[in-house]
Amino acid sequence: MAKPFTFKVLATDGKARRGVIDMPRGEIRTPAFMPVGTGGTVKAMYMDQVRGVGADIILGNTYHLMLRPGAERVARLGGLHEFARWPQPILTDSGGFQVMSLSKLRKLTERGVTFRSHIDGAPYEMTPERSIDIQGLLDSDIQMQLDECTALPAELKEIERAMELSLRWAERCKTAFGDQPGKAMFGIVQGGDNAALRVRSAQALSAMELKGYAVGGLAVGEPQAVMLDMLDITCPELPDNKPRYLMGVGTPDDIVKSVARGIDMFDCVMPTRAGRHGLAYTRRGKVNLRNARHADDPRPLDEESDCPAARDYSRAYLHHLVRSQEALGAMLLTWNNLSYYQKLMQDIRAAIEAQAFETRTAEISEGWARGDIPVI
C-alpha cells in the first residue's frame, strides 16, 4: 500500500506557514518553489544540479508533453520520472493555460477545448477527463484540474463564465482522478480580479474536499497590488490543513509577499528564462550581465554564495559568455538563479520556524533595494 499524500503545518508566523507535504516519492518542504520543467527538462540544467540547489519537486507541462513526445510514449518508457531521471515528486499543470495562450485556433465548449498544435497544426481535444488521463500516463504525483484561465483585464461576465466552467470541470477531474494512493489532484480557484467571484470559487472547491488548492489566473497582466488583494480575499476561504499553490508566480518579491498571505507553493519560468537572457537574481537584486560595466570586472556575482556559478566565475567571464551567446552563459546564470530562489525559500522557512519572518524578509528586501556592488 502506497504511503498516503499528507500535508502538515509545522509552524506559523502571522499568516505565513512552514509545512511539509509527504508522499511516496519524497517530502516537499513548504513554502516551496518548483523549477519549471515544461517539456521534461529544466532548461539549461542537469537534473542533479536541480536537486543540488535544493529543489524537492519540479513542474511538468501536460500540453507540451502531450504534443511532444506524447504521453503514451512517455508511459511506455516508464513515466516522466524515469524518462527525465528525476526520482522526486513532479507536479503537472493541466495544459489549460497553454491551450488558451499558445493555440490561435481553438474552440471552447462545455465538453472541453479543441485546438491545433502550435508545433504542426495537428488537431487535438482536451477535456477534463483527457487532461487527468495524460497526467496519469506521465505518472505525475500532483495533478491539476483543467480550468479556463482568462487574461486580465476582462469583462465581469466573461470572468464569471470561465470561473463557473472551471468549477464544473473540477468536479469532472475529481471523478476522473478517483482514488490514487499517494497522489493528489488540486483544484484551481479562478475569478479574475473580482473578490466575490474568488470567494465563490474558493468555497465551492473547498466543498469538494480535494487534497490541495491552487490560485490561478493571477500574474497574467494585473498589477502586483491586485494579485495581493486577491490572495488576501482567497486564502482565508481555503482549508487550513491543505496546501495552497499560487500558479505562475513569480519574482522574489512576489513570493515573499505571497508567503505572508498564506501561500505554500510557487512555480515560475522567470529564473530559468532570465538566466538564458543574461539576467542574474542575487541577494543584491537583479544583475544584468549584458551591461558593459561587467566587461573588466574580476569579481564574482556573489562571493558568499554556495553556488559555484555565483561564487567561482568572474563577472567579466559571465559577461563574455552572454555577449558571445555561448551556451555556458545560460547554464551558469540559470544555475545561479535557481540556487538563489531555493536559498530564498530556505531563508523563508527558517524565518517562519524562528518566528522572525517579518524581520528576515525586511532584511532581504533591504538587500535588494541597496542594489549591486559599485563599479570598479
Side-chain angles (χ1 to χ4, degrees):
M1 186 71 177
K3 179 192 294 187
F5 175 98
T6 61
F7 172 67
K8 184 177 181 180
V9 176
L10 303 176
T12 60
D13 188 356
K15 294 179 181 178
R17 294 141 48 108
R18 161 73 172 103
V20 62
I21 295 171
D22 195 15
M23 54 198 320
R25 287 193 170 101
E27 288 187 349
I28 303 163
R29 297 162 294 174
T30 66
F33 179 81
M34 301 181 284
V36 175
T38 301
T41 171
V42 177
K43 294 184 188 302
M45 292 284 285
Y46 297 109
M47 286 303 187
D48 57 353
Q49 287 179 305
V50 179
R51 286 191 290 273
V53 299
D56 295 332
I57 179 172
I58 62 171
L59 180 144
N61 184 267
T62 294
Y63 171 88
H64 288 282
L65 290 166
M66 73 175 281
L67 298 185
R68 187 170 54 191
E72 285 77 9
R73 176 172 289 157
V74 172
R76 289 195 301 271
L77 293 168
L80 190 55
H81 299 83
E82 178 68 21
F83 190 53
R85 306 304 298 166
W86 176 265
Q88 293 166 255
I90 293 176
L91 179 148
T92 45
D93 62 11
S94 69
F97 179 81
Q98 285 74 27
V99 168
M100 304 303 165
S101 63
L102 295 180
S103 180
K104 296 179 181 178
L105 298 174
R106 61 181 180 269
K107 181 179 179 182
L108 186 71
T109 66
E110 185 69 31
R111 172 179 166 82
V113 57
T114 55
F115 63 96
R116 291 191 177 275
S117 165
H118 72 284
I119 299 171
D120 59 8
Y124 288 87
E125 181 183 44
M126 180 76 83
T127 64
E129 294 78 10
R130 177 57 176 159
S131 176
I132 295 298
D133 178 48
I134 293 169
Q135 293 179 76
L137 288 166
L138 297 173
D139 197 21
S140 167
D141 301 285
I142 300 177
Q143 303 173 22
M144 303 304 299
Q145 73 150 104
L146 184 66
D147 66 330
E148 182 185 357
C149 178
T150 52
L152 297 177
E155 295 293 330
L156 179 60
K157 286 185 178 180
E158 178 64 11
I159 296 172
E160 183 174 22
R161 181 202 60 74
M163 184 273 287
E164 294 287 0
L165 178 63
S166 295
L167 287 177
R168 295 191 296 273
W169 282 1
E171 290 277 15
R172 288 167 57 187
C173 285
K174 179 183 177 181
T175 300
F177 181 81
D179 180 20
Q180 298 185 33
K183 296 189 176 186
M185 191 209 87
F186 285 15
I188 303 175
V189 177
Q190 291 290 353
D193 54 1
N194 183 274
L197 294 181
R198 285 281 172 184
V199 169
R200 277 170 51 191
S201 178
Q203 291 178 345
L205 287 169
S206 296
M208 295 182 198
E209 297 185 347
L210 304 172
K211 293 183 180 179
Y213 297 90
V215 181
L218 295 175
V220 289
E222 81 287 357
Q224 185 196 58
V226 173
M227 179 187 79
L228 298 177
D229 285 346
M230 292 303 102
L231 293 181
D232 283 330
I233 290 160
T234 301
C235 287
E237 301 296 333
L238 296 173
D240 289 333
N241 63 341
K242 304 289 180 71
R244 304 168 185 157
Y245 163 31
L246 180 56
M247 304 183 75
V249 175
T251 67
D253 185 56
D254 287 337
I255 289 173
V256 167
K257 290 176 177 174
S258 299
V259 168
R261 288 159 171 81
I263 294 295
D264 306 300
M265 302 170 68
F266 302 88
D267 82 279
C268 191
V269 299
M270 201 166 291
T272 47
R273 180 176 290 166
R276 299 194 304 277
H277 291 85
L279 189 66
Y281 285 94
T282 77
R283 60 190 170 93
R284 302 182 180 102
K286 293 183 287 188
V287 177
N288 186 351
L289 272 303
R290 299 190 66 85
N291 288 347
R293 59 163 287 185
H294 303 292
D296 295 301
D297 195 335
R299 298 170 296 179
L301 266 175
D302 186 349
E303 70 285 352
E304 296 181 11
S305 175
D306 293 332
C307 178
R311 185 191 63 224
D312 298 343
Y313 294 85
S314 72
R315 290 166 179 248
Y317 184 56
L318 294 171
H319 170 79
H320 158 69
L321 294 175
V322 170
R323 293 301 295 263
S324 303
Q325 299 184 342
E326 289 286 350
L328 183 59
M331 294 168 67
L332 290 173
L333 292 181
T334 301
W335 191 6
N336 168 82
N337 289 351
L338 287 181
S339 177
Y340 177 74
Y341 266 64
Q342 294 300 334
K343 179 61 165 60
L344 175 65
M345 306 316 294
Q346 178 184 324
D347 275 0
I348 287 172
R349 292 192 295 265
I352 296 170
E353 289 177 355
Q355 301 292 294
F357 177 75
E358 188 173 345
T359 300
R360 179 63 185 131
T361 54
E363 292 170 352
I364 292 169
S365 297
E366 288 167 9
W368 297 333
R370 282 195 297 270
D372 197 16
I373 55 179
V375 180
I376 289 179

